[in-house]
Amino acid sequence: MTSGYLSEREARFLMAAAALAPAQGKNLEIGSFKGRSTVGLAYVTRELGLGTVVAVDPHTSPATTDPDLRGKTSSYDDFVANLRTAGVFERVEIQRVYSHELVREWKDSIRFLWIDGDHTYEGAKADLDMFKPYLVDGAIVAMHDVLGTFEGALRVFVEEVLDSDDFGPAGFSGSIGWAQYRPRDGKAARFRRRRRLLAVPARRLIPIARRADRGLHGWNKFLYKLWRPLAPHGDVNLKYLAAVTS
Ligand SMILES: C[S@@+](CC[C@H](N)C(=O)[O-])C[C@H]1O[C@@H](n2cnc3c(N)ncnc32)[C@H](O)[C@@H]1O
């Protein structure tokens, strides 16, 4: 399997969500690293005729929140090699720039938005803010590492997605937070209720994540273990996902 930072459960969820998003437009991945998520997205979108994947990443691992490159200065060569090995190179539109550079020339509608780039509050919020105007009704947004110890990404998901009536169905799978963009009926009671149920434990985790910058210990670890299970984050049933997002 392609090396990267996605668990098997998360990879399964990501592919299912990309397959089921009932919308037309581009599939945009922010943050590719060596291509683990890119390969899954490119495979499923190819098999189902859902267009190519635009993968934006400068591949220079520029921030403290970026993964270890094991001595290399760029993940680009491994990224390209992994796409070729998986037979999906032709299905990926590589954009070797930052997301804030890509958005300057971006014009397309987006049906699936995967945010896994800069995990700071400012970075994750900018990625959502910059590309939200391009989401089509029915599009799915998925953000990595929101149900974990990245305070910034978690806060953005709670405040900008779960607290927003622009989104309808929502949930977690592993550390992925996902929601369907549905400005037409996101304020319906059933969606609000569900988002609020998820937001209660997720919001409790924000200060815990903030204090966890040097790892989880003691009382903070206890609180993390108390609140995290209250946000359901197991495998998402495919029939449920298809029904709730249709
Ligand atoms: C956690 S890794 C992505 C992991 C990948 N999705 C996977 O499945 O293995 C984060 C990546 O985001 C990239 N990145 C950081 N800030 C970015 C930005 N503003 N725009 C695009 N990519 C960014 C980094 O270079 C790094 O490769």
Side-chain angles (χ1 to χ4, degrees):
M1 193 186 284
T2 310
S3 59
Y5 288 83
L6 209 61
S7 71
E8 282 193 39
R9 168 178 288 161
E10 291 171 342
R12 272 198 304 275
F13 170 77
L14 198 65
M15 291 168 76
L20 291 170
Q24 302 283 323
K26 292 235 173 172
N27 306 287
L28 174 62
E29 169 180 87
I30 302 175
S32 307
F33 191 50
K34 295 184 182 180
R36 181 148 174 164
S37 51
T38 328
V39 165
L41 291 175
Y43 175 78
V44 79
T45 51
R46 176 186 69 191
E47 294 301 296
L48 297 174
L50 296 170
T52 53
V53 175
V54 181
V56 58
D57 191 323
H59 290 282
T60 49
S61 191
T64 51
T65 49
D66 288 331
D68 180 16
L69 278 175
R70 297 176 201 281
K72 292 189 183 174
T73 52
S74 171
S75 51
Y76 185 72
D77 291 346
D78 288 342
F79 175 61
V80 169
N82 287 336
L83 296 185
R84 288 195 194 281
T85 303
V88 294
F89 180 76
E90 311 297 334
R91 309 294 306 174
V92 180
E93 191 187 312
I94 298 174
Q95 293 285 349
R96 201 174 172 184
V97 292
Y98 287 101
S99 49
H100 67 261
E101 295 172 298
L102 177 68
V103 78
R104 287 186 206 135
E105 65 200 41
W106 190 269
K107 293 183 185 67
D108 300 305
S109 304
I110 297 174
R111 66 175 294 278
F112 189 76
L113 175 60
W114 167 230
I115 300 178
D116 192 14
D118 181 347
H119 288 27
T120 62
Y121 174 76
E122 292 74 18
K125 184 165 183 317
D127 282 341
L128 184 62
D129 287 349
M130 287 188 296
F131 290 98
K132 188 176 171 187
Y134 299 96
L135 295 174
V136 289
D137 196 303
I140 290 182
V141 175
M143 294 178 63
H144 200 206
D145 293 322
V146 303
L147 200 63
T149 52
F150 284 99
E151 181 214 349
L154 170 59
R155 198 178 139 202
V156 172
F157 187 70
V158 172
E159 295 177 359
E160 309 297 328
V161 177
L162 295 180
D163 288 351
S164 167
D165 280 342
D166 285 343
F167 294 91
F172 295 104
S173 185
S175 74
I176 294 177
W178 66 273
Q180 187 181 32
Y181 183 65
R182 272 168 86 135
R184 74 193 125 108
D185 62 355
K187 59 180 165 310
R190 67 187 191 284
F191 295 140
R192 274 191 174 164
R193 206 178 309 120
R194 173 78 182 151
R195 293 198 317 269
R196 209 175 298 139
L197 270 175
L198 298 169
V200 168
R203 206 184 305 278
R204 291 283 185 155
L205 286 167
I206 295 174
I208 298 169
R210 187 179 311 136
R211 291 190 295 266
D213 55 349
R214 283 187 209 90
L216 278 169
H217 306 288
W219 182 242
N220 208 34
K221 186 173 181 179
F222 170 79
L223 291 174
Y224 182 81
K225 292 198 163 189
L226 180 75
W227 284 107
R228 194 170 187 263
L230 296 179
H233 56 275
D235 276 318
V236 177
N237 180 286
L238 284 192
K239 281 188 185 158
Y240 164 79
L241 188 61
V244 82
T245 56
S246 63

